[in-house]
Amino acid sequence: MTKNNFTEMLDSSTKTPPSITRWVRNWSLEQSEEVSKLITHTFEVEKGIFPYDCKFKITHRCNADCKMCLHPIKLRTDETLHTQELSDYEIRKIIPELAETGCRSIHFSGGEPLLRKKLEVFIKDAAKNGIRSKLTTNGTLLSEKRANNLAKAKLRSVNISLDGPTSEVHDSMRGVKGFFNKAISGIQAISEARETYGRPHVRINSVVSHENAKTLDQLLELAKELKIDSLHILPVDFSHIDPSLALTDEDYEIVKEVLSNYKHETRLLGDVERLIDLLAAPETREFIKKGEYAFGYYRESPCFAPFVHLFMMPEGKVYTCCIVDRTEANILGNVRKNSIQEIWANDNFKELRKKAVKNTLYSVCHSCDHFLEINQIISEKTGFRTFEWD
C-alpha cells in the first residue's frame, strides 16, 4: 500500500470518523526529523529495530485513591508486593541497557513515582545516557527542593494531574482531602524551577467526567493563572469506572461550548478544533461511550508499538505496552532474568510483531489511543499495512 492509498483508505473509511482522520494527519504533517529517521531505520534494517521509548512504572505505591484509577487498590497498598519492586541499583543498571538498545525516551510513572526517593538519580542517569525523561505525577510531593532537583537532573517534561479548579472538586476525584492545595503548590514549584533551569515542560492532565465537566471553564482559567505550558484534557475511561462518573450528553455539550470559547488559547490547548472533535463530536462520542479510544482505527490498520516501544513493571516484568492485560501469557520477559537487549530480540517479541502487523493483537487495543499518531506516520512513511515474514 502506498502513502496515497493509505490516505484514501482513511478518507473513504466508514469506520474511522473524518475528525479522527484530521486529528491523526495534522500531527503527522508536523512530524519531527528524528521520528522520520527512526521510521527509516526501523523498517529498512530489520535487525536494527529498537525501543525508541519506554514507559517505566517504577512503583505500585500511591498516596491517592482516585475514583477513576485503573491501578487496582491491591497493587497500591500491598506491602508484600512493594518489597518485590526493583531496587534503586537494579533500575540504575537498566537505564544504560536501554540506551545501548537505542532508547531515546523514558516515561517514569507509577503509582506515584515521586515515592521513589532516588527518582532524580534515575533521571540524571538517563540524561547522561542520552535519554530524555518524562514524568507523570499527582504533584503532591513536589516540594521546592524536589522540583529544583528534578530540573537540575534534566527532566524534560512533567505531567501533573489536576481534575478541578477547587479543593471540593479535585479532592473528591482524587480521594484525599488536601490534595488540591498540595498539587497547586507542586505545579508552582516546578514552574519556578523551569524559569531557573529552562526545563521541564509543565503540563496539566485533567480527566473530564460527569463530576467535574461543569467546572471545566474555571479549570481553564486557573491553568492560565498558573502559567503552565499546556493543558491536556482526557475523557474519563468509560470501560472501568463507576457509571456515575460517565459523561452525559449534557456534559458533552458543556465541554463543546467551553472549548469553543477557548479556541484562541492555542498555546495552552493546542488544536482546539481537534479537542472538540475528540471530546464532543457526535461521531466520536459513541466510540468514547464504548471505551474505544482508538476510534475504530485498529479495525483497519495495524499497531506498530511492538517495534518501537516497551513497558516495564515495578517488579521487572516487560510487556509491549501498558494497555495489555498483565497476565503471565502476555509477559515478554523480565529484566531480573535477561538484559533489555535479550528481551527485545527474543522469540516472544518477534511473535508479537508478526501478530501486530497482521492485525491479530488484543481486543483491548481498541481502547488505546497512545500510539495512533506514530502508527499513522509509520504507515504513511513506509506504505506498510502487512509484512511478509519468513
Side-chain angles (χ1 to χ4, degrees):
M1 173 173 283
T2 67
K3 175 177 175 179
N4 288 338
N5 290 147
F6 185 81
T7 302
E8 289 170 5
M9 180 274 290
L10 279 175
D11 288 336
S12 63
S13 169
T14 58
K15 297 179 180 178
T16 303
S19 57
I20 303 307
T21 302
R22 181 168 70 252
W23 168 47
V24 176
R25 188 180 298 138
N26 281 349
W27 193 94
S28 67
L29 290 173
E30 300 168 3
Q31 62 192 281
S32 69
E33 182 179 350
E34 183 175 13
V35 172
S36 297
K37 289 179 179 178
L38 159 69
I39 295 164
T40 300
H41 178 80
T42 299
F43 290 97
E44 286 185 359
V45 188
E46 182 181 329
K47 293 182 180 178
I49 55 180
F50 57 92
Y52 176 77
D53 71 335
C54 166
K55 186 170 184 180
F56 197 167
K57 190 182 288 286
I58 55 176
T59 184
H60 288 298
R61 292 172 290 154
C62 190
N63 58 339
D65 188 18
C66 304
K67 289 182 177 180
M68 63 291 187
C69 185
L70 305 184
H71 198 49
I73 189 169
K74 180 180 179 181
L75 296 180
R76 288 181 269 141
T77 59
D78 189 337
E79 292 297 329
T80 301
L81 182 63
H82 298 165
T83 62
Q84 299 171 12
E85 294 180 353
L86 295 167
S87 67
D88 296 340
Y89 171 80
E90 287 174 308
I91 291 177
R92 296 191 69 184
K93 179 175 176 289
I94 290 166
I95 290 171
E97 289 184 10
L98 283 167
E100 290 172 10
T101 314
C103 182
R104 313 254 180 99
S105 174
I106 298 179
H107 179 183
F108 291 104
S109 69
E112 173 45 57
L114 283 168
L115 287 169
R116 295 292 300 236
K117 302 298 184 185
K118 296 292 185 180
L119 174 60
E120 294 89 329
V121 176
F122 306 153
I123 292 170
K124 186 180 292 185
D125 286 349
K128 287 180 179 177
N129 283 276
I131 300 175
R132 299 185 298 271
S133 294
K134 177 167 72 173
L135 171 66
T136 293
T137 171
N138 59 43
T140 60
L141 303 177
L142 266 177
S143 63
E144 182 179 345
K145 181 179 179 181
R146 290 208 80 176
N148 277 286
N149 286 341
L150 287 167
K152 285 180 185 177
K154 299 184 178 180
L155 176 67
R156 290 289 294 270
S157 62
V158 58
N159 304 325
I160 302 175
S161 303
L162 192 66
D163 297 323
T166 64
S167 297
E168 180 181 4
V169 177
H170 182 73
D171 292 358
S172 174
M173 293 292 291
R174 295 288 157 175
V176 180
K177 188 175 181 179
F179 248 49
F180 175 78
N181 290 333
K182 290 179 179 179
I184 293 297
S185 294
I187 292 168
Q188 291 171 333
I190 197 68
S191 295
E192 289 172 8
R194 176 198 58 194
E195 294 303 310
T196 301
Y197 297 97
R199 56 179 181 268
H201 177 100
V202 180
R203 185 177 89 174
I204 285 177
N205 284 351
S206 185
V207 178
V208 181
S209 69
H210 178 64
E211 189 165 317
N212 63 2
K214 292 180 175 63
T215 62
L216 179 58
D217 55 343
Q218 298 172 50
L219 178 66
L220 287 167
E221 287 302 312
L222 176 59
K224 288 165 61 178
E225 291 174 16
L226 291 169
K227 298 180 179 179
I228 59 168
D229 295 301
S230 59
L231 172 64
H232 186 54
I233 299 172
L234 309 92
V236 69
D237 189 337
F238 279 61
S239 57
H240 296 86
I241 62 163
D242 178 340
S244 67
L245 290 176
L247 289 161
T248 65
D249 288 339
E250 180 185 359
D251 294 331
Y252 278 113
E253 292 307 312
I254 291 172
V255 171
K256 184 176 181 179
E257 181 179 356
V258 170
L259 291 176
S260 295
N261 292 333
Y262 282 84
K263 287 182 180 179
H264 60 287
E265 293 291 346
T266 54
R267 183 195 64 80
L268 185 67
L269 294 169
D271 185 348
V272 181
E273 290 287 358
R274 167 197 171 199
L275 270 176
I276 293 173
D277 283 343
L278 290 178
L279 295 174
E283 61 201 37
T284 60
R285 195 175 298 177
E286 293 306 312
F287 280 108
I288 292 175
K289 285 181 178 180
K290 293 184 289 186
E292 291 189 20
Y293 297 100
F295 305 103
Y297 185 83
Y298 298 122
R299 296 175 187 171
E300 309 157 337
S301 307
C303 178
F304 297 102
F307 291 84
V308 294
H309 179 81
L310 61 78
F311 171 64
M312 278 190 289
M313 290 289 283
E315 63 277 8
K317 295 175 183 177
V318 175
Y319 299 84
T320 185
C321 66
C322 64
I323 200 75
V324 301
D325 294 331
R326 314 288 161 70
T327 62
E328 291 296 316
N330 290 333
I331 297 173
L332 300 175
N334 192 312
V335 293
R336 280 181 164 149
K337 299 177 181 178
N338 298 98
S339 69
I340 294 293
Q341 294 93 328
E342 290 170 336
I343 294 171
W344 188 250
N346 69 20
D347 290 340
N348 292 337
F349 247 120
K350 288 178 180 178
E351 287 302 311
L352 189 67
R353 291 177 190 125
K354 292 179 183 180
K355 291 180 180 179
V357 297
K358 293 179 180 178
N359 263 12
T360 54
L361 274 178
Y362 312 99
S363 59
V364 73
C365 294
H366 295 296
S367 68
C368 174
D369 64 350
H370 295 176
F371 302 101
L372 286 175
E373 297 151 321
I374 192 65
N375 282 330
Q376 169 74 22
I377 291 174
I378 291 174
S379 289
E380 288 194 353
K381 292 286 289 186
T382 63
F384 283 122
R385 285 194 68 201
T386 59
F387 287 87
E388 293 297 329
W389 295 86
D390 293 332

